[in-house]
Structure formats: structure tokens, C-alpha cells
Amino acid sequence: MLARRPQVALVDELAHANAPGSRHAKRWQDVEELLDEGIDVVTTLNVQHLESLGDVVRQITGVPQRETLPDEVARRADQIELVDLPPELLRRRMLHGEIYSSDRIEAALTHYFRVGNLTALRELALLWLADRVEEGLQRYRAEHGITAPWETREGIMVALTGGPEGETLIRRAARVTARIPGSELLALHVVPSDGLVRGDQAALAAQRALMESLGGSYHQTTGDDIPDALLRFAEAESVTQIVLGASRRGRLSTFLRGGVGHRTIRRSGPIDVLVVTHEHAAGISCALRLPQPSRSTGPRRFWAAIVLAAITLPALTFLLVLLDEHVDLALALVLYLLAVVVIALVGGLVPALLAALAAGLLAD
């Protein structure tokens, strides 16, 4: 071939070994030399010869593959065409003697070329080629700066907080995925950039195990703005649907602070957001609860600030009453403000707000 230098060379069975003493041990190495010399090559390859699928093929057929080909060699092809024959048609060709000689037909049909084996190998070929197409699509999107998801396939992503509702959300998303052939199931937990632990880590571990048992994948990302982190990951992974749990906070808290679900929906653009109710979702009752400790300080400093406010503000008020003739209103307000700032530094936002309210009442 090198001597005749054709424009195109046909080389059968890319994965096979050459005869002993040949120029190269493997036929794919011959092909690489032809390509280096500017000769285009059209070749053939059976899916069972791909190196990455060796264990799977052996499990299916019971036959180890002696001839294998590095996947990277096949991936470098400019074009891959799938010759997709139904198992029955392939077996019919074999019966007609179009593949093996007559003395090998019966053994082949009853062992390696059983319908179940051929169906499984056919599915492996389709899946491997689908991954190749997906790689090409992602490369094209990166080269052209395309970030918006393309709905070439459905990607269902569950947002996990570490709360008790996680398993309900995973199962709901798995049912959605099962109804959509070719869809992908993912779970994402957003870790704050300050490194502080959020959610129940034991619950997250159990939810990760459940996700993987259902054929999905578990991921973590870092971010302080949860909706933004969810949507950035969704765009990167071409997610088309996000599954969120209904808020466990009360309506007043959600209204004042804005729920994650509401903010995610508002920013989601073409990505659908499914909000799933669960038994832990907040009801419509208005039961009074003690304020929760600030996330940035922890419960010990939170309650220390509450105690500090309970002691400092009455003591400051008593002192100002004693010095009433020597302290004007402006100085009194500055002293109250200083006390509130100190309480905020100790315990965070909630104790500071309570202290400010109490200081206003005491100043009156």
C-alpha cells in the first residue's frame, strides 16, 4: 500500500493481530502508519473487541476476547458508521453460509451467536456510539460558546439539601426518568464556600447510596447562592428538569427571605423545575417557634448573644436613668446602637434584630 499510495485503503478487522514477523504486531498499528503517510483508511471493527468493554463482553458471552483494540484508536476516527443488523438477520446469514464454513455454523449458533448474546452486543454498540456522538456534541458546544441546554436527551437532576425529604425526591425523579427512554438521572448537593456543614451528613450518605442503586449519579458543587449553583451545574450537564422539594419553612419566612424553589424557577429559563410536595413540607399553620440559630455562628454563640442582650440592655437602661441629667438622647441612642452591634458580632443577625427591637422599646 505504501508503494502504490492509493487515496483510500480498505483494511478489514482493525483489532486483529498480524502474522508473526510482520512489520507491526497489530493491524491498527498498520492503519496508523498508513494515515501518517496521507492515505485514508476505511476499516471494520466488532464491538466486542473494544478494550473498555472486555469484562462486560466476557460476562455476557462467557468467552474472553484475545484480540482487543484501545478505545482511543476507535475514537480518533473521523467518522463511525454503525452496521446495525437485527440478531435474527445475522443468524439467518450465518445459516446460509455467508459468514462461517458449514462445519462451524451449528456451534456458533448455539454458543456465541445466541439471540440473547447478539441483542446484548447490539445494545453495547449503540450505547458506545451514543457516547461518541455526545462527545462530539459537547465539543461543538464548547467550540461555539453554547451554554444553554439542548434537549437532545432528557437530564433529570434532584437538588438535595440533606433534609429528610431527599429520598422522596430521588424516588420521584427516578420514576420520571424511567418513563423517558435514554434519560439521565443526577443528584446535586450544594456545599457552602465557608466550609460549614449543612444538612444531615448521614442522610446525605444514605441518599447517595439510594441514587446510585437506582442508576443515577451523585455530585457536589460549591456555592453560596443555591439557585445559581443549581443552574450553573444544570447548564454544564445539559439538565432539562430540576426536581426540588417543597419548602420546609413557613409561608412568612419564605415570603420575607424568598424560597429556593421560587428563585430557581424565576431564573431557570428553558430548564423545567418540578417542585415536589412531601410530608416534611411546611403547612399553613402559624404556630410560633423559637428563632433558629444563625448559620454563621452556631447555637452556642446564638444563645450567648441572647443572654448578653437580656443582661446588657436592662443594665444600660438602668444606668441611663441614673445619669439622666448628664446624658442626652443622641448619646443614649449611640450607646444602645453600640450594644446592638456587640450582640450582632457575638450571635449574628437574629439576636441583633431582637436586641434592636428591645432597645427601641427601652429607649422610649
Side-chain angles (χ1 to χ4, degrees), residues 305-315 343:
I306 294 293
V307 172
L308 179 63
I311 295 174
T312 303
L313 294 178
I343 292 166

Side-chain angles (χ1 to χ4, degrees), residues 3-322:
R4 299 186 64 173
R5 301 195 64 82
Q7 287 184 323
V8 180
L10 304 182
V11 179
D12 197 21
E13 296 287 7
L14 181 63
H16 279 207
N18 288 326
S22 297
R23 184 169 181 149
H24 298 291
K26 291 286 189 175
R27 200 164 297 174
W28 60 266
Q29 295 171 319
D30 295 337
V31 168
E32 288 191 330
E33 185 172 351
L34 293 173
L35 294 173
D36 290 340
E37 294 296 326
I39 301 172
D40 292 334
V41 176
V42 177
T43 186
T44 60
L45 171 69
N46 291 332
V47 66
Q48 63 264 31
H49 293 148
L50 288 167
E51 199 167 73
S52 67
L53 301 179
D55 292 344
V56 181
V57 171
R58 181 174 183 174
Q59 183 181 9
I60 293 170
T61 65
V63 179
Q65 294 297 318
R66 295 188 303 273
E67 306 281 14
T68 59
L69 173 83
D71 286 44
E72 182 56 30
V73 175
R75 290 178 186 275
R76 287 203 298 267
D78 294 323
Q79 182 178 347
I80 298 178
E81 180 179 346
L82 177 66
V83 182
D84 183 26
L85 283 180
E88 294 78 7
L89 180 56
L90 181 58
R91 286 169 58 86
R92 191 178 306 127
R93 290 186 58 195
M94 187 168 291
L95 279 171
H96 292 166
E98 299 177 16
I99 300 175
Y100 288 155
S101 57
S102 58
D103 59 321
R104 299 175 59 190
I105 293 175
E106 184 177 354
L109 289 175
T110 55
H111 293 89
Y112 197 93
F113 288 89
R114 295 196 301 267
V115 172
N117 287 358
L118 294 175
T119 301
L121 292 173
R122 184 188 188 194
E123 184 174 358
L124 278 179
L126 291 167
L127 291 172
W128 190 89
L129 188 59
D131 287 341
R132 167 73 173 162
V133 172
E134 178 69 16
E135 288 174 7
L137 178 62
Q138 294 302 331
R139 185 166 56 251
Y140 176 87
R141 284 162 54 86
E143 290 172 354
H144 292 79
I146 299 170
T147 57
W150 285 0
E151 296 188 21
T152 52
R153 61 173 174 78
E154 291 285 342
I156 317 297
M157 185 184 83
V158 186
L160 297 178
T161 65
E165 74 282 358
E167 293 190 2
T168 301
L169 303 185
I170 291 172
R171 292 191 174 94
R172 180 73 174 90
R175 291 196 296 272
V176 173
T177 305
R179 299 189 190 109
I180 308 174
S183 57
E184 183 181 10
L185 178 62
L186 308 93
L188 179 66
H189 175 63
V190 179
V191 180
S193 58
D194 59 15
L196 295 176
V197 175
R198 303 285 193 269
D200 187 334
Q201 297 303 299
L204 275 174
Q207 291 160 18
R208 176 175 187 165
L210 175 61
M211 170 63 66
E212 293 173 349
S213 72
L214 293 172
S217 57
Y218 177 88
H219 306 267
Q220 286 190 341
T221 189
T222 303
D224 294 316
D225 186 329
I226 294 178
D228 180 65
L230 291 175
L231 293 171
R232 276 192 287 106
F233 182 86
E235 289 177 354
E237 297 296 324
S238 295
V239 166
T240 56
Q241 297 185 45
I242 298 176
V243 178
L244 298 173
S247 177
R248 284 180 278 126
R249 301 198 324 232
R251 289 187 176 183
L252 179 60
S253 176
T254 301
F255 173 77
L256 292 176
R257 300 177 60 182
V260 170
H262 176 72
R263 287 182 285 150
T264 303
I265 292 171
R266 194 173 58 207
R267 306 179 198 173
S268 64
I271 301 174
D272 294 333
V273 179
L274 174 63
V275 180
V276 177
T277 188
H278 51 87
E279 62 180 1
H280 304 284
I284 60 173
S285 63
C286 297
L288 294 176
R289 295 185 298 173
L290 289 174
Q292 296 298 311
S294 169
R295 290 183 176 181
S296 61
T297 57
R300 181 176 298 179
R301 291 179 59 182
F302 173 86
W303 292 112
I306 294 293
V307 172
L308 179 63
I311 295 174
T312 303
L313 294 178
L316 178 59
T317 303
F318 179 74
L319 181 62
L320 292 174
V321 169
L322 291 178

